[in-house]
Amino acid sequence: MSSLFPALTSAPDGRAALRFGERSLTYGELAAAAGAVGERVRGAGRVAVWATPALETAVAVVGTLLAGVAAVPLNPKSGDQELGHILSDSGPALVLAAPGDELPGPLAGLPRVDVDVRAAGPASADDGGPGDAALIVYTSGTTGPPKGAVIPRRALAATLDALADAWQWTGDDVLVHGLPLFHVHGLVLGILGPLRRGGSVRHLGRFGTEGVARELSTGATMLFGVPTMYHRVAEALPGDPELAKALAGARLLVSGSAALPVHDHERIAAATGRRVIERYGMTETLMNTSVRADGEPRAGTVGVPLPGVELRLVEEDGTPITAYDGETVGEIQVRGPNLFTEYLNRPDATAAAFTGDGFFRTGDMAVRDPDGYVRIVGRKATDLIKSGGYKIGAGEIENALLEHPGVREAAVTGEPDPDLGERVVAWIVPAEAQAPPTLEELAAHVAGRLAPHKRPRVLRCLDALPRNDMGKIMKRALAHD
Ligand code: MCA
Ligand code: AMP
């Protein structure tokens, strides 16, 4: 039996596991197809997965986990520079992809294995111990290229079981979402979550309110999304009674990856009578807190620590804050079986991320209400931007902009955006004042090197960037108008 996915062998015949558009797999079919992948990759060390929003990605990851091998999910929209970095850093033995998918240049040197979702491999117990790497997920920091967070098998099990407790999540639940499958939210919670419970997931391929309405009115019970998706739901609700009815009938609506503005909470509650609940996590920690299904859904809070997660707030100097007064702000630190083990090849960054007593420094600032509810009020680093639920480091975009011949100096900031939460703003000093590059040019440049979600949405040209006496750019002096 699989320790991560017992339902692969125990689910009754014909029980639905995965559905992507018209294509679906039962648990029996998934066990066979994933078993075939497992046979192929066993002993491989690490394998890359071309993580399109398709059935093949789910089968590839489950098969890899069955073999006790670590999967490195790749964003299929990554530009060559980002992809090149991830491949050289993680050194996968091969890449798993859907038949017919075209793979870009940086993957040319890697053996390719096509995932056959109708294959019949042997069902087997899975290899790999609790501390072994399950996934390596790349996440942006404030500077430099993304770091690979090594997520052990134990963290997947711990976080998904804690969420099952908090959300009364069972095999009877049918999840719908349209999240990308190369990050924790869409892949771990959105695919591995239902499979661990023996329930099913219907993936929309691409997020849209029509798909949400359709699935929630035909048997789906839960919706997962980032705030941008709930914002789009809130915008659509006044003109879409079918959507309102579908949401009203759902068992659980969950938002995460960034803060859901209270205004969107309220609009959804007014139109559907249902409250969206928020949970708080990170690539490095998986899930830390959540509003519980049996708790009070309070807008603007991320609920209480999940079972097994130790959470503390600390002062700047590391002193724990004991107040539960809804006022005293401290950095959130967490410890528990849900944590990653290290940043791949980055012992320096790993050491800096943990305290001496094993707590992970999240960089998120919060207060605690008297009943323990955590309220996130900000972030330590101003150089991290959350746009559409994606974490984006200002530094990597600045570096990319500086590689453009039309840019002499560059600074990147985030500014509030009603749809994306924050949007990326590029402040540049053009190489030629008379002929500055256009926003479209710079957006295409960044999208092509890094990823489209990292592209600047606004361009502001200046004669000089504000700098302090040490020559450091003073981002706070860059006024947003
Ligand atoms: C636009 N596009 C471009 C360019 N401009 N492509 C190349 N060059 C350009 N210059 C393309 C985009 O690739 C995309 O293509 C399309 O145009 C629209 O892009 P965009 O406007 O950026 O986005 P959107 O389609 O409006 O997407 C909004 C979204 C998305 C659906 C909310 O941001 C999203 O999926 N966010 C989820 C992020 C997430 O899962 N975060 C979890 C990480 P095409 O049309 O082909 O798509 S956080 C996490 O995991 C932690 C643990 C947690 O707590 O959850
Ligand atoms: P990532 O590194 O992409 O996994 O993003 C993790 C970050 O997303 C966290 O450190 C938080 O800043 C943010 N985040 C995730 N969930 C929430 C939430 N419900 N409310 C506010 N911020 C969140």
Side-chain angles (χ1 to χ4, degrees), residues 1-2 5-11 17 26-28 30-32 34 62 66 123-124 195 198:
M1 195 174 81
S2 160
F5 309 110
L8 285 178
T9 41
S10 66
T26 63
Y27 272 92
L30 173 60
V62 172
L66 287 179
S124 63
L195 297 179

Side-chain angles (χ1 to χ4, degrees), residues 65 70 130-137 148-156 184 188 282-286 338-342:
L65 292 174
D132 290 345
L135 297 171
I136 298 167
V137 179
V150 180
I151 300 172
R153 299 167 68 89
R154 119 183 110 238
L156 299 183
V184 162
V188 176
M282 260 182 111
T283 303
E284 292 91 334
T285 65
L286 305 187
N338 53 314
L339 263 51
F340 78 136
T341 43
E342 58 168 341

Side-chain angles (χ1 to χ4, degrees), residues 86-425:
I86 293 174
L87 294 172
S88 66
D89 190 52
S90 62
L94 54 88
V95 56
L96 291 164
D101 273 356
E102 241 178 76
L103 302 183
L107 283 159
L110 217 52
R112 168 186 182 143
V113 174
D114 281 348
V115 176
D116 176 1
V117 300
R118 298 287 160 205
S124 63
D126 47 355
D127 295 338
D132 290 345
L135 297 171
I136 298 167
V137 179
Y138 279 79
T139 181
S140 292
T142 50
T143 56
K147 304 187 287 277
V150 180
I151 300 172
R153 299 167 68 89
R154 119 183 110 238
L156 299 183
T159 222
L160 294 175
D161 293 350
L163 291 177
D165 177 81
W167 297 343
Q168 298 168 4
W169 187 0
T170 72
D172 292 334
D173 279 303
V174 177
L175 172 66
V176 55
H177 72 89
L179 292 156
L181 300 187
F182 46 85
H183 276 311
V184 162
H185 194 169
L187 181 61
V188 176
L189 274 59
I191 299 289
L192 305 183
L195 297 179
R196 183 156 174 87
R197 298 274 73 79
S200 70
V201 50
R202 301 180 190 170
H203 194 282
L204 298 172
R206 184 189 181 93
F207 173 80
T209 53
E210 333 71 54
V212 168
R214 183 185 64 240
E215 298 306 333
L216 285 178
S217 52
T218 54
T221 63
M222 297 169 89
L223 171 67
F224 291 175
V226 295
T228 301
M229 296 171 180
Y230 283 101
H231 175 76
R232 293 178 185 181
V233 164
E235 292 279 292
L237 276 170
D240 191 343
E242 288 304 311
L243 179 62
K245 202 169 141 210
L247 289 172
R251 189 180 77 75
L252 212 59
L253 309 172
V254 187
S255 173
S257 302
L260 181 63
V262 172
H263 178 56
D264 288 330
H265 268 288
E266 297 305 340
R267 289 197 293 172
I268 293 171
T272 67
R274 300 302 312 273
R275 293 259 165 205
V276 177
I277 64 166
E278 287 193 69
R279 91 302 179 280
Y280 157 65
M282 260 182 111
T283 303
E284 292 91 334
T285 65
L286 305 187
M287 295 303 116
N288 296 313
T289 72
S290 183
V291 172
R292 298 181 57 89
D294 56 4
E296 185 203 337
R298 203 176 304 157
T301 91
V302 294
V304 294
L306 289 165
V309 178
E310 290 174 78
L311 181 147
R312 69 186 184 194
L313 299 186
V314 301
E315 314 255 16
E316 193 69 45
D317 66 1
T319 315
I321 292 169
T322 50
Y324 284 74
D325 57 3
E327 263 174 39
T328 313
V329 178
E331 183 190 3
I332 301 176
Q333 296 189 343
V334 290
R335 188 166 69 176
N338 53 314
L339 263 51
F340 78 136
T341 43
E342 58 168 341
Y343 293 115
L344 193 64
N345 305 322
R346 294 293 305 276
D348 53 332
T350 306
F354 287 93
T355 63
D357 54 353
F359 277 80
F360 175 74
R361 308 173 202 268
T362 66
D364 292 310
M365 307 301 289
V367 300
R368 265 175 319 202
D369 287 345
D371 56 3
Y373 272 49
V374 176
R375 202 178 281 276
I376 296 175
V377 297
R379 198 184 301 125
K380 253 181 147 173
T382 47
D383 276 348
L384 283 180
I385 300 161
K386 265 270 166 172
S387 188
Y390 288 111
K391 183 189 268 186
I392 303 172
E396 55 176 329
I397 306 178
E398 287 159 3
N399 291 339
L401 288 171
L402 288 169
E403 286 168 23
H404 189 281
V407 176
R408 186 184 316 146
E409 293 179 53
V412 165
T413 59
E415 69 181 18
D417 184 277
D419 181 48
L420 297 169
E422 287 183 288
R423 58 178 169 252
V424 173
V425 183

Side-chain angles (χ1 to χ4, degrees), residues 413-452:
T413 59
E415 69 181 18
D417 184 277
D419 181 48
L420 297 169
E422 287 183 288
R423 58 178 169 252
V424 173
V425 183
W427 306 78
I428 66 155
V429 176
E432 283 180 55
Q434 309 315 320
T438 62
L439 172 63
E440 291 66 33
E441 228 177 306
L442 294 182
H445 173 81
V446 172
R449 264 158 212 255
L450 305 179

Side-chain angles (χ1 to χ4, degrees), residues 382-383 394-395 398 410-413 466 473-480:
T382 47
D383 276 348
E398 287 159 3
V412 165
T413 59
I473 298 169
M474 297 188 295
K475 292 206 178 168
R476 289 182 206 279
L478 292 167
H480 293 153

